[in-house]
Amino acid sequence: MRIFVTGASGWIGSAVVPELIHAGHQVVGLARSDTSATALTAAGAEVVRGTIDDLEVLRDAAAASDGVIHLAFKHDIAFTGDFQGAAEADRRAVDTFGDALAGTDRPFVLASGVAGLAPGRVATERDMPTIDGSPMSIRSATAQAVLTLASRGVRSSVVRLSPTCHGDGDNGFMATLVAIARAKGVSGYIGDGANHWPAVHRRDAARLFRLAVEKAPAGSVLHGVAEEGVAIRDIAEVIGRHLDVPVTSVASEAAAEHFTWLGAFLGLDMPASNTLTRELLDWQPTHPGLLEDLDKGHYFHTPATAA
């Protein structure tokens, strides 16, 4: 298959591209910079220059492909005060892809998330997000729109990713926690730290995207979850041991000051199941779990910033 991938040089995309190529697919990656284009070429992919705001570029690339995997999202503006703007740009790109693929029965796979699906219990693939008009729910509505493309002749699916897709080179939530612990001199958690986050290794997530584009039925919801839930206190203890700093509780009212932007997320309890995904696609995560990955030490080799 000739597969068009947005976000192809990003954290997940840079694992998805070689996964697809190794399986015999031809990859065309969207690149918004010379650096991204060079990385994609080196990985063996073709390059289309542009951004997710270049709707004509997206339309033409999708029309010329046998399928689309949409990983790009404007995280740079989403987490610096304009989540709504990022979500609206994402929706325009998705609508463009939907129009280009309508009536073709070609696959369209969207990256989404499991956070906030089912507060207080384990979320499953059958759970649907609440759409309430908030900026966050705009992105949820986009995922719902992708699923409805099945009625327009698109083999659409949504991969809901764990909040932490870990691995060597990660600069996301785990790297930020390490950076905060290094800067503060303590490895913290909120309250009793008993809340759980699901987790998945980046390479296991990449394989799931490949399986989705190859064979996920139209309208499928998939969970990129290898571990149902890892206690935040357990994460803090591994970080504290590697940095040789105390492990301590941070009061919820002090979380925003201590953890900066991460404080709004770190106290959430959001376990999620992958049972239906495993059964549907025979997806079997094989790479290290989060605590084992942290214990490998690569998160502590190069200091990251807490920003």
Side-chain angles (χ1 to χ4, degrees), residues 59-92:
R59 184 181 300 109
D60 291 346
S65 73
D66 298 312
V68 174
I69 297 177
H70 181 40
L71 304 172
F73 189 75
K74 292 185 171 184
H75 292 99
D76 52 343
I77 69 169
F79 292 107
T80 55
D82 191 15
F83 191 95
Q84 181 165 337
E88 290 174 349
D90 187 50
R91 180 57 182 267
R92 289 191 293 270

Side-chain angles (χ1 to χ4, degrees), residues 32 60 77 100 106 159 179 209 229 231 260 268 282-283:
R32 64 177 180 173
D60 291 346
I77 69 169
R106 296 174 188 169
V159 175
F209 277 102
T260 64
L268 299 178
D282 192 28
W283 175 60

Side-chain angles (χ1 to χ4, degrees), residues 10-25:
W11 173 237
I12 302 299
S14 58
V16 169
V17 168
E19 174 73 25
L20 292 170
I21 291 174
H22 183 73
H25 300 292

Side-chain angles (χ1 to χ4, degrees), residues 277-298:
T277 299
R278 287 176 183 251
E279 292 174 351
L280 183 65
L281 297 182
D282 192 28
W283 175 60
Q284 300 297 329
T286 59
H287 289 87
L290 176 57
L291 298 182
E292 181 184 352
D293 201 16
L294 283 168
D295 255 334
K296 288 179 178 295
H298 53 78

Side-chain angles (χ1 to χ4, degrees), residues 74-187:
K74 292 185 171 184
H75 292 99
D76 52 343
I77 69 169
F79 292 107
T80 55
D82 191 15
F83 191 95
Q84 181 165 337
E88 290 174 349
D90 187 50
R91 180 57 182 267
R92 289 191 293 270
V94 163
D95 288 344
T96 298
F97 288 136
D99 290 342
L101 297 174
T104 66
D105 291 320
R106 296 174 188 169
F108 176 30
V109 186
L110 175 76
S112 185
V114 299
L117 276 175
R121 62 177 176 81
V122 177
T124 76
E125 294 88 337
R126 293 192 177 97
D127 286 308
M128 291 295 120
T130 299
I131 310 298
D132 58 11
S134 65
M136 189 68 73
S137 75
I138 296 174
R139 196 174 189 192
S140 298
T142 297
Q144 296 299 97
V146 168
L147 297 178
T148 64
L149 289 173
S151 66
R152 297 179 59 196
V154 180
R155 184 161 63 80
S156 59
S157 61
V158 172
V159 175
R160 294 172 177 164
L161 289 168
S162 300
T164 177
C165 295
H166 56 88
D168 194 355
D170 176 19
N171 284 310
F173 287 144
M174 290 303 108
T176 300
L177 269 181
V178 170
I180 292 170
R182 182 180 278 115
K184 298 286 187 178
V186 298
S187 180

